[in-house]
Amino acid sequence: MSAAKSLLIELGTEELPPKALDELSAAFLRGICDGLARRNIGAALDQAQGYASPRRLAVHVPAVVVAQPEQTIERRGPALSAALDAEGQPSKALLGFAQSCGVDVGALEKLETDKGSWFVWRSVKPGQPVAALLPEIVDEALKALPIPRPMRWADHDYSFVRPAHWLVILHGAEIVDGEVLGLRSGRKSRGHRFMHPQPVHVADADGWLDAMRACNVLADPRERRQRIQDQIEKVAGATGGVPRLDDALLDELANLTEWPVAIACTFERDFLAVPPEALATTMVANQKFVPVFDAGGSLTEHFIGIANVESTNPSEIRKGYERVIRPRFADAKFFWDEDLKTPLAGYQEQLKGVTYQQALGSLWDKSVRVAELARIIANRTGVDAGAATRAASLAKCDLLTRMVGEFPELQGVMGRYYASHDGEPAVVAEALDSYYQPRFGGDRIAADKLGQVLAVAERFDTLAGIFAVGMKPGGNKDPFALRRAALGLARTLIEGGLELDLRGSFIEALELIPDAALAAGLKPGKDGKPPALNAAQRRAILLDELYDFVLDRLRGYYAEQGFDHNQFEAVLAVQPASLADFDRRLRAVAEFGRRAEAMSLAAANKRVGNILRKQAEETGAPPIGRVVDPARFETDAERELADALASAQHDSAAALDAGDYAAVLARLSQLQAPVDAFFESVLVNADDPAVRANRLALLNQLKTQFGAIADIALL
């Protein structure tokens, strides 16, 4: 066994794109490990570590052997049936195979498998030195990186995400000689561009990380993140404030710096008259600064910048940060002051001139449809229909303001501020913001009921309209974010407890879609003509597509919560009208599934279903609705099951009406003993047709009892 030593690979580049750096690093690590594994090179791959900074990608792998073990090579030749002729002599195929292997036919072996017999050639190839294989492994890993637009530089034929400047490949303390991207490997790295610009000598693979740290480069992104967090907490604490640093900004700051240093800054308090979301957005999105809030959650005049240098005169960096933020804030204040001169409702007329989608009309047309849906939904859910209609009519108006034009991510937020300024009811103003929720994965739904009503009305219209014009998602393409809209709709209905008939609501949404839009979505068939469907037929097809689309999103939603696929399918089989009801049934089924009786009753329900299905196929007349006649019972097991069913139905009727499905299934779980006894002692297909029909009717009652909640057989 060859001695094992640590391996270090570092590629130095111009500044890498910060938002892609983590993905590039992970892919580079994966590529190096895969390359070692494919070549059967022994290494502690589970301990391999990827490193990255703005100017480098690196991988460290402990315990990499010096040479491959011997490589056993097996080539499969022709099948035995084709390798020998009738006299048992080698065929041309076998002779050709042996020649390609460089051996006589007699050197070949036979391989016997359950799928047949073949001639094979087996040979042993000495393992190569790992140093001879590493340049190829590195090259393969770099070519496999996810780089959408690779760059070329100088007059080279190769390309990469950024120009490459140095390459270090060390196996232990030894340089692995090789060339990648026109760079000859060595042991000279580079430190911080400004604080340590001279070359850095790397003694061995295990000393690389410390060598980088000594020349002001924190090559480990985890270490940079922690340093940034610690420094921001310290600087903010000195101001008495609370920094607002989310993971996305932290990652970007870590990927923009090699030696991060937090700088405390301030801006003029007059700017605090502008909504804090606008100021915080421009700080984070445009300048990568960290806003600071007070203990009550109000924005303060303090903010924190992260420099990529430890300056001897940090006040100059602070002045630069404060100088660069001032014109951004001045613009935001101008937008705010100008927007306040026009009431939010004053933008309604302008919505008519903004196209939402060619076949679906303008933003005004969409607002009208959403307002009507919001009115209907509000009446059904006990929400003020007038407030719902008013909120829907204002919901798109802030899209035409200067502030949202500059910062699109503030849509809804600014609508709330402008509506409040105009004296709109507080519930209306709040709904203009909250109806966008959930805005992203993991975001909560609207907390207010009016916001929930507006949220589902908006999404019902969006889904119905875009499906109608034939632009439903396909593959990775989803330009209207319909998958997110469908999940947001489902989550709001479920988590908001809105008892709405999903199909019924989609029917109402589709009725508001113009017939011309429905026709625009019909795609030509093989004859070049669209199918001859009237509006009603088209809506019926779209209804099924929309229902299935939303339910598909629910599969992932519940899978993330730990629900079993079979539990989901069991509830889906009974097609609950509302998703809130679907949720209650699913949770009840999951609770039932944890009972000791569950699997026995599930198997019994499956058996009952098969019996009834077979009987229906043979007679064409399932016993649904047939009354069980106790006078035709011939065994105690029949009577006991009938009595137990009647008792369970009586005991659980109130719970079923109240939607307490867990209580219903808990009561039905007590049927295990009489059900098992029935199948042990009763022959369902009795010779007497009347007795057989009576038993089938009894089993149908059992299936109906459980089927009122879910198809338990699918468990």
Side-chain angles (χ1 to χ4, degrees):
M1 182 68 178
S2 301
K5 299 180 289 186
S6 294
L7 170 68
L8 183 280
I9 303 165
E10 180 196 21
L11 177 69
T13 69
E14 293 291 336
E15 273 71 8
L16 295 162
K19 292 186 177 180
L21 187 56
D22 292 336
E23 185 181 6
L24 290 171
S25 178
F28 190 40
L29 172 63
R30 189 166 55 248
I32 296 298
C33 290
D34 289 349
L36 293 170
R38 279 197 306 273
R39 291 164 176 83
N40 198 24
I41 297 173
L45 297 180
D46 58 331
Q47 299 175 44
Q49 191 69 259
Y51 297 97
S53 77
R55 300 177 65 211
R56 70 202 73 227
L57 291 172
V59 170
H60 180 270
V61 186
V64 179
V65 298
V66 174
Q68 285 178 308
E70 290 184 337
Q71 304 295 297
T72 300
I73 300 171
E74 180 178 284
R75 288 183 59 192
R76 183 179 296 191
L80 201 63
S81 58
L84 302 173
D85 61 20
E87 286 76 31
Q89 297 302 310
S91 67
K92 289 183 178 180
L94 183 59
L95 291 170
F97 174 67
Q99 185 179 7
S100 70
C101 296
V103 297
D104 294 329
V105 170
L108 301 178
E109 300 177 35
K110 290 181 183 178
L111 174 66
E112 304 283 348
T113 74
D114 56 355
K115 295 183 179 180
S117 303
W118 286 266
F119 276 96
V120 298
W121 163 243
R122 294 188 178 98
S123 63
V124 176
K125 179 182 177 182
Q128 290 183 265
V130 169
L133 299 171
L134 279 171
E136 181 181 46
I137 292 173
V138 174
D139 188 58
E140 288 176 357
L142 292 175
K143 287 179 178 177
L145 295 185
I147 304 173
R149 294 185 182 87
M151 293 177 59
R152 293 185 183 275
W153 62 98
D155 57 352
H156 303 307
D157 293 332
Y158 38 78
S159 61
F160 193 56
V161 61
R162 291 291 185 270
H165 293 308
W166 73 90
L167 177 66
V168 176
I169 306 180
L170 296 177
H171 194 190
E174 297 178 11
I175 297 172
V176 176
D177 186 43
E179 185 174 307
V180 177
L181 296 178
L183 300 170
R184 179 63 59 180
S185 59
R187 65 170 74 250
K188 294 295 183 183
S189 182
R190 300 187 190 177
H192 192 283
R193 184 184 291 276
F194 307 113
M195 300 175 69
H196 198 293
Q198 57 269 37
V200 177
H201 177 87
V202 182
D204 56 46
D206 289 333
W208 173 81
L209 196 60
D210 287 336
M212 291 296 97
R213 196 177 290 114
C215 61
N216 303 104
V217 173
L218 298 179
D220 188 342
R222 293 162 289 274
E223 187 176 356
R224 292 199 303 278
R225 290 186 184 96
Q226 189 60 54
R227 177 183 169 98
I228 291 170
Q229 285 181 303
D230 292 344
Q231 290 205 5
I232 285 177
E233 290 291 341
K234 181 179 179 180
V235 170
T239 71
V242 179
R244 184 165 297 177
L245 176 66
D246 60 28
D247 290 340
L249 179 57
L250 175 59
D251 289 343
E252 194 164 1
L253 289 171
N255 291 342
L256 283 166
T257 58
E258 290 192 320
W259 193 260
V261 177
I263 305 292
C265 310
T266 58
F267 58 82
E268 291 86 343
R269 290 184 59 83
D270 291 347
F271 287 124
L272 292 175
V274 178
E277 291 88 346
L279 300 180
T281 295
T282 190
M283 273 191 271
V284 172
N286 298 123
Q287 305 300 335
K288 315 306 174 192
F289 293 151
V290 180
V292 177
F293 293 75
D294 63 23
S298 298
L299 183 67
T300 71
E301 70 274 22
H302 301 285
F303 68 96
I304 302 169
I306 302 297
N308 187 31
V309 63
E310 194 161 347
S311 174
T312 56
N313 191 3
S315 63
E316 289 302 312
I317 298 178
R318 174 181 57 78
K319 291 176 184 177
Y321 287 165
E322 292 173 349
R323 184 167 56 250
V324 78
I325 207 174
R326 194 169 294 112
R328 291 282 186 179
F329 279 9
D331 286 346
K333 188 174 188 309
F334 171 77
F335 297 145
W336 169 248
D337 292 340
E338 289 298 303
D339 287 341
L340 290 181
K341 295 176 182 178
T342 302
L344 193 60
Y347 292 101
Q348 288 177 322
E349 190 66 24
Q350 296 179 43
L351 293 174
K352 297 177 181 179
V354 181
T355 300
Y356 166 61
Q357 198 281 333
Q358 186 174 7
L360 294 169
S362 65
L363 284 178
W364 171 252
D365 295 322
K366 179 173 178 59
S367 296
V368 170
R369 294 194 301 269
V370 173
E372 177 59 14
L373 287 174
R375 181 190 66 79
I376 295 171
I377 294 169
N379 282 326
R380 288 186 181 142
T381 55
V383 173
D384 186 336
T389 304
R390 180 60 175 173
S393 69
L394 295 175
K396 300 298 180 188
C397 289
D398 69 339
L399 299 180
L400 300 180
T401 63
R402 292 172 175 82
M403 187 73 84
V404 175
E406 180 70 15
F407 304 111
E409 58 269 45
L410 292 179
Q411 54 190 289
V413 174
M414 298 312 303
R416 168 167 54 86
Y417 278 105
Y418 295 138
S420 297
H421 177 270
D422 296 343
E424 296 286 347
V427 291
V428 171
E430 181 62 30
L432 298 186
D433 184 4
S434 65
Y435 92 96
Y436 281 95
Q437 294 174 281
R439 295 175 183 263
F440 50 84
D443 191 20
R444 65 181 188 274
I445 67 166
D448 57 307
K449 283 299 177 183
L450 181 56
Q452 292 173 11
V453 167
L454 192 55
V456 297
E458 166 73 20
R459 288 164 174 82
F460 272 128
D461 177 75
T462 296
L463 290 163
I466 303 303
F467 265 63
V469 298
M471 298 180 70
K472 62 183 180 181
N476 293 327
K477 296 181 179 179
D478 188 8
F480 285 88
L482 297 188
R483 294 186 180 96
R484 187 175 66 191
L487 181 58
L489 169 64
R491 284 189 55 203
T492 304
L493 291 172
I494 293 167
E495 296 169 25
L498 300 180
E499 296 290 350
L500 292 176
D501 185 317
L502 184 62
R503 284 184 176 274
S505 296
F506 270 127
I507 289 172
E508 289 160 345
L510 287 166
E511 287 294 335
L512 295 172
I513 302 300
D515 289 355
L518 296 171
L522 292 173
K523 300 186 183 300
K526 293 182 179 179
D527 59 357
K529 298 179 180 179
L533 297 174
N534 60 36
Q537 293 170 323
R538 175 79 171 130
R539 288 187 173 97
I541 293 171
L542 289 170
L543 175 61
D544 289 337
E545 291 179 352
L546 287 162
Y547 183 84
D548 291 343
F549 185 73
V550 173
L551 267 294
D552 280 344
R553 307 283 79 72
L554 277 187
R555 283 186 172 85
Y557 171 73
Y558 283 119
E560 289 178 357
Q561 298 179 50
F563 288 95
D564 184 81
H565 169 76
N566 291 340
Q567 295 168 354
F568 181 91
E569 294 299 327
V571 177
L572 180 61
V574 300
Q575 301 272 298
S578 86
L579 294 187
D581 189 55
F582 189 108
D583 185 75
R584 288 192 297 272
R585 290 171 186 265
L586 181 59
R587 296 182 187 280
V589 167
E591 184 177 330
F592 171 75
R594 291 189 285 270
R595 291 179 172 273
E597 310 92 341
M599 289 304 101
S600 175
L601 286 168
N605 271 269
K606 185 173 183 178
R607 185 175 179 182
V608 169
N610 291 336
I611 291 171
L612 295 175
R613 184 163 48 253
K614 183 177 180 181
Q615 187 270 345
E617 291 171 353
E618 292 175 352
T619 66
I624 295 175
R626 184 173 298 173
V627 177
V628 176
D629 184 359
R632 296 193 181 278
F633 290 153
E634 295 183 343
T635 66
D636 289 341
E638 292 173 272
R639 298 184 187 92
E640 290 171 2
L641 178 57
D643 290 345
L645 274 171
S647 177
Q649 184 177 19
H650 175 271
D651 294 346
S652 60
L656 183 62
D657 291 341
D660 187 356
Y661 302 120
V664 176
L665 286 174
R667 178 63 182 87
L668 292 180
S669 68
Q670 299 173 24
L671 295 174
Q672 181 192 2
V675 168
D676 289 348
F678 177 89
F679 281 115
E680 287 174 4
S681 59
V682 176
L683 177 65
V684 177
N685 289 321
D687 293 334
D688 185 335
V691 173
R692 181 170 64 249
N694 199 53
R695 290 173 178 174
L696 289 169
L698 179 61
L699 292 181
N700 187 66
Q701 281 194 2
L702 173 66
K703 186 173 185 295
T704 301
Q705 288 266 22
F706 280 96
I709 293 137
D711 187 350
I712 300 300
L714 294 177
L715 297 181

